[in-house]
Amino acid sequence: MIPPHEKLVAHLVQAGDLPRHWRTAFEQVERHRFLPDRFTDPDGATVDRARDEDRWFTLAYDDIPVITQLDDGAEDGPGYPTSSASQPSIVADMLRRLDVFPGMRVLEVGTGTGYNAALLAHLLGDEEVTSIEVDAELAELARVRLMSAGFTPLVVTGDGTQGWPARAPFDRVISTAAVQRVPYHWVAQIRPGGKILTPWGSAFHNGVLADLRVGSDGTACGRFDGDVAFMWVRHQRVPRRVVETYVHPERQGFESTRTELHPYEPIGDFDASFAIGLRMPGVLNRLEFAEGEEQRFTVYLVDPDTGSWASWHIAPERQGSGYEVRQHGPRQLFVELEAAYRWWRRQGRPEHTRFGLTVSAEHQLIWLDNETSPVASTP
Ligand SMILES: C[S@@+](CC[C@H](N)C(=O)[O-])C[C@H]1O[C@@H](n2cnc3c(N)ncnc32)[C@H](O)[C@@H]1O
């Protein structure tokens, strides 16, 4: 039987995720060394090394993300994942896209377990790698695990959206936590010609990768690509439990209309949903199935800033007469969603890769094809 680590590397090579110059790092850095004795698998089950070492070890080398912290480390929280060792094929794909080579200096945002920092340190040398983690306990664990695996990159505790000016300028910034706004500090701390690679999303759609080049004019510019859903950086998290918090039709009142549009079209389509998220900043969508039924569900649109919401009730037997939509609050969120979806279709249903962004000291400008077709701008 092929040992799990070798099997994982072979899988990454076969999938085309692992460029030649990264192969040795992936062969030599052992992922299991960076994992805690208890972690959560993607189905939410706890895996305990003391109870089932074989399963723990096998999962460490499966191509899956491993959740290593819940609720920022708080005991008895609701169980939200707050740190993980990312899925190996995504780690490899991001390192490939980072286009990084020996002689370059890198800032990683989101040290997590330290696994990615170890891979970077293997390729570039400890001196050239700085990794920043907001959670002090995780940062310390990562330092210890890195050291026991033979690596000593600089791991600092802090808010990675501020960068780490003491080690600037960098050639590359790679974030392993998602942002809605690319921090200008990253741009300012990179050499002209350098690169930022970060998971990016909106409250509506998480997300894609933003792959940006820093120009000599002090801006960073590039396109979106990929299909990734990372945890948000701590200070840009989207609100949780929005349906429970904001949607109370019985006491709030609502307007009711009907629609022929099925959510499968605007929300089920990756590119449509991505584009709608650009047009409806701050608005979240949530899907709740009726108990035990796959065909009967409600899609909620919620804007926490104004308390506006819309609910879209999908029941298979109603298909002929349209689906009921309820809207409450100053924003008519369903009307806005229809308008955003129409806009996307009018543009020729562009894929997410036709969108891009420019980050300057003043704003983050999102565009379609080029900067002369702006789509949205945030300070
Ligand atoms: C997906 S995990 C990172 C995976 C990691 N690179 C690895 O190899 O294991 C995301 C990490 O980002 C951290 N994080 C969130 N917000 C941050 C911030 N503002 N600055 C630095 N780290 C942050 C989280 O605590 C979490 O550990």
Side-chain angles (χ1 to χ4, degrees), residues 277-290:
L278 302 178
R279 305 285 284 187
M280 298 179 73
V283 176
L284 295 99
N285 70 75
R286 292 285 176 268
L287 189 148
E288 287 188 3
F289 284 95

Side-chain angles (χ1 to χ4, degrees), residues 69 82-86 91 108-117 132-135 138 158-161 176-177 230-235 237:
Q69 188 199 56
T82 48
S83 190
S84 66
S86 309
V91 173
E108 181 198 27
V109 175
T111 313
T113 61
Y115 176 61
N116 198 43
I132 181 162
E133 169 58 54
V134 73
D135 187 299
L138 293 180
D159 175 7
T161 61
T176 56
F230 271 77
M231 295 162 187
W232 298 108
V233 291
R234 241 185 225 194
H235 306 95
R237 280 180 183 158

